[in-house]
Amino acid sequence: MRMFEWIKVVHILAVVSWMAGLLYLPRLLVYHCGTKPLSEASELFKVMERRLLKAIMRPAALVTLVSGGGLVFAGGFSPGAGWLSAKMTAVILLVLFHGFLEISVRQFARDIRRRDARFYRFANEVPTVLLILIVVFVVVKPFQ
């Protein structure tokens, strides 16, 4: 049982780190939209976005997913449990959102701006909503 608790600690720390990036990166993109391509500010945002993705978000996402799988295995949770299926659906949506942010950062790095700041302000709310759902599914387990 002790191993389960340590896996949970790792999972929670990784989730917090990943979520910090998922919440902060869209905000950086909002500010990046307000800069001129190739300006000093734009180049600084490119560095910040790249470092956030590579140094924090990617490793944290990987540890989150691996430790989450470890929790399911070590905890003996039934993969068919409704709450777990709902949580996993929300996690998949977070992974897809992360992928969208990866694409957006690559486009900004090439000075391609397909969306405006308003879009990224809205996108900034996506991880918040998914996080709320995940916490409810895990704590309340509404679909036993």
Side-chain angles (χ1 to χ4, degrees):
M1 195 56 159
R2 204 82 167 118
M3 181 59 71
F4 179 81
E5 291 155 347
W6 281 110
I7 296 170
K8 192 187 301 186
V9 166
V10 169
H11 185 68
I12 291 168
L13 292 172
V15 168
V16 169
S17 298
W18 187 30
M19 287 305 303
L22 289 171
L23 293 166
Y24 185 50
L25 186 53
R27 180 55 48 186
L28 284 177
L29 297 176
V30 167
Y31 299 141
H32 198 159
C33 283
T35 65
K36 292 185 175 158
L38 301 175
S39 68
E40 187 176 332
S42 178
E43 296 305 309
L44 178 61
F45 279 118
K46 290 176 188 179
V47 171
M48 293 169 66
E49 292 156 4
R50 185 182 70 246
R51 287 183 179 169
L52 179 59
L53 267 173
K54 287 185 174 184
I56 296 172
M57 292 176 66
R58 287 178 189 162
L62 179 62
V63 173
T64 295
L65 297 173
V66 170
S67 61
L71 286 172
V72 171
F73 179 74
F77 298 116
S78 169
W83 70 269
L84 186 56
S85 296
K87 177 194 176 188
M88 292 311 300
T89 300
V91 170
I92 290 167
L93 292 172
L94 273 180
V95 170
L96 292 173
F97 184 73
H98 180 123
F100 164 75
L101 292 176
E102 293 261 0
I103 292 167
S104 296
V105 167
R106 272 189 245 127
Q107 290 173 344
F108 272 89
R110 295 189 324 258
D111 292 313
I112 299 168
R113 300 174 186 201
R114 294 202 169 122
R115 295 173 177 87
D116 62 3
R118 187 172 162 222
F119 175 85
Y120 290 106
R121 277 190 195 93
F122 173 75
N124 204 125
E125 304 308 318
V126 171
T128 303
V129 170
L130 291 172
L131 177 63
I132 291 167
L133 290 172
I134 289 168
V135 170
V136 169
F137 295 148
V138 170
V139 174
V140 179
K141 293 182 177 59
F143 313 114
Q144 288 282 53

